[in-house]
Amino acid sequence: MENSIKDIQVSKKTLDKTWWTWFKYCLGVFGFERLEAPGFAMSMIPLFKELYKDDKEKQVASIKRHTTFFNTHPYLGGLINGIVASMEIEKANGGDISDEMIENLKVGMMGPVAGIGDSLFQATLYPIVFSVAIGLSTGGSPLGAIFVVLTVFTLQLFVTRFTFYQGLKLGKEAFQSVLGDTMEKIQSAMAVLGLTVMGAVTAQFVNFNLTLSYKSKMNEVNFQEILDGIFPNILPICLVLLGYYLLRKKNISAIKLILVYVVIVAGCAVLGIV
């Protein structure tokens, strides 16, 4: 039996609540069993309350559908919320959309959106923001910390709202847009840009210079100058690669990594190397 066509209109206030709830609570309950699912389900509550005003059972059943495992980039993930909200509105109005279709779309988009979001934020935008903040913090100035808080919050707020309403506008057609042939090119470009930024940040802000030298009757050999002639800033990049190896390959914690660096620097200082 086909659903009767309805004309349920969702207010702008409800849509704003849906977006705002996701922005606030996407990482609020982050258990390994469901990860971002509680935040996603919470974001749908205002929407379902308006779609099914007089049917509490449908409200509960609809919310339960969104409590299954969900994990993607928290801010670019607003796109998925928007698309799902659009499909839920269409479904409530009698559209030919099944629960399985909505769930499959969510699952299918988690990975691509996470890949683009991680490349854009963690590997590109955040390193740029923090590198600028480091420069502003010279001499103990609080401007660096203020700059990071305001910039990151504004960026996250804008991106989440923009992607949510774009997803709402495009609906299920956005699914193909995100999974299109250009996705891999976007990820590759962002990865290259992110590595370039990290290399520049490493060269500028990570310092490890040798004071070790060898003196003879004829001349003095400065080992740091020799290293710079072969590969400038090779020691800082070695420290960064060591940190990457220990964090990713050996799974040590950030606290233990800091202790490793302290031991290395202390040992080198005692030996008169740095």
Side-chain angles (χ1 to χ4, degrees):
M1 180 178 179
E2 294 185 358
N3 294 330
S4 59
I5 302 301
K6 303 176 184 177
D7 187 24
I8 304 173
Q9 299 295 324
V10 178
S11 67
K12 181 69 163 51
K13 182 179 180 181
T14 295
L15 294 175
D16 281 341
K17 281 184 178 180
T18 301
W19 154 70
W20 182 244
T21 304
W22 167 254
F23 177 74
K24 288 194 300 181
Y25 299 114
C26 57
L27 301 176
V29 182
F30 206 67
F32 286 107
E33 183 182 0
R34 301 180 189 274
L35 290 181
E36 297 172 358
F40 196 102
M42 284 185 66
S43 72
M44 293 291 120
I45 291 175
L47 182 67
F48 290 136
K49 281 186 175 181
E50 185 157 345
L51 290 175
Y52 307 112
K53 293 179 181 178
D54 303 320
D55 195 333
K56 293 290 184 181
E57 290 185 2
K58 272 195 174 182
Q59 290 181 25
V60 173
S62 299
I63 293 169
K64 281 184 176 180
R65 285 194 284 106
H66 292 292
T67 58
T68 56
F69 179 88
F70 182 75
N71 187 40
T72 191
H73 191 272
Y75 307 114
L76 207 66
L79 178 68
I80 303 178
N81 282 67
I83 295 172
V84 170
S86 175
M87 296 179 72
E88 290 287 2
I89 293 170
E90 189 175 343
K91 176 181 170 65
N93 279 301
D96 186 20
I97 296 177
S98 64
D99 297 347
E100 291 75 19
M101 182 187 297
I102 296 175
E103 184 62 27
N104 290 340
L105 183 141
K106 281 176 59 181
V107 173
M109 291 191 71
M110 289 193 306
V113 170
I116 295 174
D118 289 343
S119 299
L120 180 62
F121 280 84
Q122 275 80 350
T124 305
L125 295 177
Y126 288 163
I128 293 173
V129 171
F130 280 95
S131 63
V132 173
I134 291 172
L136 292 174
S137 299
T138 304
S141 172
L143 289 178
I146 295 171
F147 173 78
V148 167
V149 172
L150 292 179
T151 303
V152 170
F153 179 79
T154 302
L155 186 65
Q156 292 171 349
L157 192 72
F158 171 78
V159 169
T160 310
R161 182 178 173 83
F162 176 78
T163 53
F164 173 79
Y165 277 100
Q166 283 300 111
L168 190 71
K169 179 181 177 181
L170 296 172
K172 56 185 177 182
E173 294 178 3
F175 183 51
Q176 293 300 326
S177 299
V178 175
L179 294 181
D181 296 333
T182 58
M183 186 199 68
E184 186 175 348
K185 295 179 182 179
I186 292 174
Q187 286 184 268
S188 298
M190 289 299 178
V192 171
L193 179 59
L195 289 172
T196 303
V197 171
M198 288 306 298
V201 171
T202 299
Q204 186 174 359
F205 294 108
V206 180
N207 297 312
F208 192 82
N209 297 317
L210 297 179
T211 58
L212 187 65
S213 62
Y214 173 76
K215 294 182 180 180
S216 67
K217 293 181 179 180
M218 302 296 296
N219 62 358
E220 180 179 352
V221 177
N222 188 302
F223 289 103
Q224 183 62 52
E225 291 180 358
I226 294 175
L227 289 176
D228 288 340
I230 299 171
F231 193 135
N233 294 312
I234 188 173
L235 293 179
I237 194 64
C238 286
L239 286 177
V240 173
L241 292 176
L242 173 64
Y244 173 81
Y245 172 77
L246 294 176
L247 287 170
R248 293 296 299 270
K249 303 299 182 181
K250 296 300 183 180
N251 295 318
I252 75 166
S253 66
I255 300 298
K256 290 181 179 179
L257 178 61
I258 293 173
L259 292 176
V260 169
Y261 283 147
V262 169
V263 170
I264 291 175
V265 173
C268 290
V270 170
L271 295 174
I273 297 176
V274 297

